[in-house]
Amino acid sequence: MKVYEKGVLENSEIYFHTPSNIAKSLFFYLISAGHFYCNNKYFVKRDHYNSYLLIYVKSGEGKIFFDNKTFQAKSNDAVLIDCYNPHTYTTDKSWEIYWIHFDGNLSKGYFELLYNRYGCVYPLKDSIIIPKYISEIINEFRKSKFINEPLISSHIYRMLAELLIISSENYLNSQSKNYEKTNQIQQAINFIKSKYKEKLTVELIAKHVCMSPFHFSRVFKKETGYSPYEYLTMIRLNKAKILLKSTDMSIKEIANEVGFNNESNFVISFKKHTKMTPTQFRKISF
C-alpha cells in the first residue's frame, strides 16, 4: 500500500501483519515491512515501540541515534535497532531502504549480543543474505500472498545469523589490531586448558596474564562469549564426557580427574548443562 508519511516519496510501500498466536509463541514474527524512498525531511523519533527494526540501506545514507550514541549508515549497510528503547533515525540527504519490524522469543538475546559486539550498523560488503531475504519478505506482500509465518521466521533467523557472522568477523578484525589484548586472552585459554584439573579461580587466571580480574573477565567474555568460569566448566565437562565414554572409571574418579572438588558438584553441573546425569550419558549410544 502507498505511504503517507513526511519525507517518504512516491512509489514507497508499507505493509502490516498481525501474527498468529503460534507465531508469537514459537517463531520470529513479522509486524510490518516496507520499501521506502526518502528525502531529507524523513525523520522518525520514538520513545518506545514494541519491536525490533532491521533496515537494509540500498542507497543513500542516514543517521541512527540510540543509547546516547550516533551511528552512520550508508549504502549496503544493515541497521538493527531495539525499538523498545528510545531511538531516532533520519537522513540528511536521501536514502532508499528496505525495513521490517519484527519480534520473537530470541529477538532480545540476538540484539543484545550483536549490539554489545558491534553496535547498530553492519557493513555488508559482499554478503547478499540481508538484501536477498528482506526483499523476499517485501515481495511476499506485493504478491498479496498468504504470509507463510514459518518461512518468514526462517528468513529473519537467517538474516540475524548473518549479522552475527559479520559482527564476529568485524570484531576479530578490530581486535587483531590490538595484538597484546588478543594474545593475553589466548594465553588465558591455553592456561585454562593446561590447568583445568587444578583449583583455578578468575583471580589466578587473570594474574597469569597480568590483568585485573574485573578487566580480564569483561574482555574474556567479549572475545569468547563465555565468562572465564563458564569456559573452565565447559572444558571440564567435555573432558568428563570423553572419560565417561572411553573408560570404566567411576563417577567419583572422573569428577576428581577433571577438576571438580567433589562428586556431587560434578553431577549437579553435568546435569545442568546436559539435562542428564553422568550415568545416563554413559549409557547413551552414539
Side-chain angles (χ1 to χ4, degrees), residues 226-262:
Y226 296 92
S227 71
Y229 180 73
E230 288 171 339
Y231 190 84
L232 173 61
T233 300
M234 181 265 291
I235 293 294
R236 286 173 169 169
L237 292 179
N238 286 344
K239 296 293 184 181
K241 290 174 186 177
I242 293 172
L243 294 176
L244 285 166
K245 299 303 294 183
S246 63
T247 74
D248 58 0
M249 293 171 64
S250 70
I251 303 302
K252 182 177 181 179
E253 288 172 331
I254 292 174
N256 292 332
E257 177 66 19
V258 299
F260 284 89
N261 55 11
N262 61 61

Side-chain angles (χ1 to χ4, degrees), residues 63-72 81 86-89 115-121 222:
K63 290 181 180 178
I64 295 88
F65 303 92
F66 180 81
D67 192 26
N68 296 317
K69 299 174 185 175
T70 301
F71 301 89
Q72 189 79 31
I81 304 173
H87 58 282
T88 300
Y89 51 99
Y115 181 72
N116 290 334
R117 181 174 287 176
Y118 203 71
C120 283
V121 178
K222 199 168 186 180

Side-chain angles (χ1 to χ4, degrees), residues 8-249:
V8 180
L9 305 179
E10 241 182 291
N11 299 323
S12 296
E13 307 162 81
I14 187 169
Y15 303 96
F16 299 98
H17 177 66
T18 302
S20 68
N21 289 331
I22 291 177
K24 288 180 179 180
S25 63
L26 296 178
F27 304 145
F28 290 106
Y29 56 86
L30 196 64
I31 297 169
S32 56
H35 179 196
F36 280 8
Y37 299 87
C38 305
N39 62 22
N40 61 3
K41 295 180 180 179
Y42 183 68
F43 182 87
V44 176
K45 182 177 182 179
R46 305 187 189 96
D47 290 328
H48 181 89
Y49 185 59
N50 293 344
S51 71
Y52 294 83
L53 173 63
L54 176 62
I55 299 173
Y56 167 61
V57 183
K58 187 172 182 181
S59 63
E61 59 186 62
K63 290 181 180 178
I64 295 88
F65 303 92
F66 180 81
D67 192 26
N68 296 317
K69 299 174 185 175
T70 301
F71 301 89
Q72 189 79 31
K74 60 184 185 304
S75 177
N76 203 40
D77 283 350
V79 178
L80 186 63
I81 304 173
D82 175 3
C83 297
Y84 283 91
N85 291 297
H87 58 282
T88 300
Y89 51 99
T90 184
T91 176
D92 293 333
K93 300 176 182 178
S94 65
W95 65 359
E96 179 188 355
I97 57 174
Y98 288 85
W99 57 267
I100 61 170
H101 279 284
F102 70 94
D103 208 338
N105 291 336
L106 297 175
S107 299
K108 179 179 173 64
Y110 264 97
F111 175 81
E112 290 178 349
L113 178 60
L114 287 162
Y115 181 72
N116 290 334
R117 181 174 287 176
Y118 203 71
C120 283
V121 178
Y122 306 81
L124 299 184
K125 299 180 181 179
D126 297 326
S127 173
I128 64 169
I129 296 299
I130 307 293
K132 170 183 168 63
Y133 285 111
I134 202 166
S135 61
E136 284 189 11
I137 289 172
I138 301 296
N139 285 333
E140 287 287 302
F141 284 104
R142 283 178 181 152
K143 296 173 185 176
S144 297
K145 293 177 63 177
F146 174 78
I147 298 303
N148 186 326
E149 290 183 319
L151 180 63
I152 294 296
S153 178
S154 69
H155 287 352
I156 295 172
Y157 174 81
R158 184 63 185 90
M159 289 190 288
L160 292 175
E162 184 68 9
L163 291 183
L164 195 56
I165 292 168
I166 291 169
S167 69
S168 297
E169 292 172 348
N170 290 335
Y171 180 76
L172 290 174
N173 287 338
S174 68
Q175 287 301 301
S176 67
K177 297 175 184 177
N178 189 346
Y179 175 77
E180 183 178 357
K181 185 184 292 183
T182 302
N183 191 44
Q184 284 175 300
I185 297 305
Q186 187 57 56
Q187 287 177 16
I189 289 172
N190 293 340
F191 183 70
I192 293 171
K193 287 182 176 179
S194 65
K195 303 288 186 179
Y196 70 91
K197 296 182 182 181
E198 302 176 14
K199 185 177 180 180
L200 289 182
T201 63
V202 172
E203 289 74 16
L204 184 63
I205 303 168
K207 183 178 179 180
H208 178 76
V209 294
C210 302
M211 297 173 74
S212 72
F214 176 79
H215 183 58
F216 167 69
S217 296
R218 185 173 61 83
V219 174
F220 191 93
K221 174 83 171 181
K222 199 168 186 180
E223 290 214 21
T224 67
Y226 296 92
S227 71
Y229 180 73
E230 288 171 339
Y231 190 84
L232 173 61
T233 300
M234 181 265 291
I235 293 294
R236 286 173 169 169
L237 292 179
N238 286 344
K239 296 293 184 181
K241 290 174 186 177
I242 293 172
L243 294 176
L244 285 166
K245 299 303 294 183
S246 63
T247 74
D248 58 0
M249 293 171 64

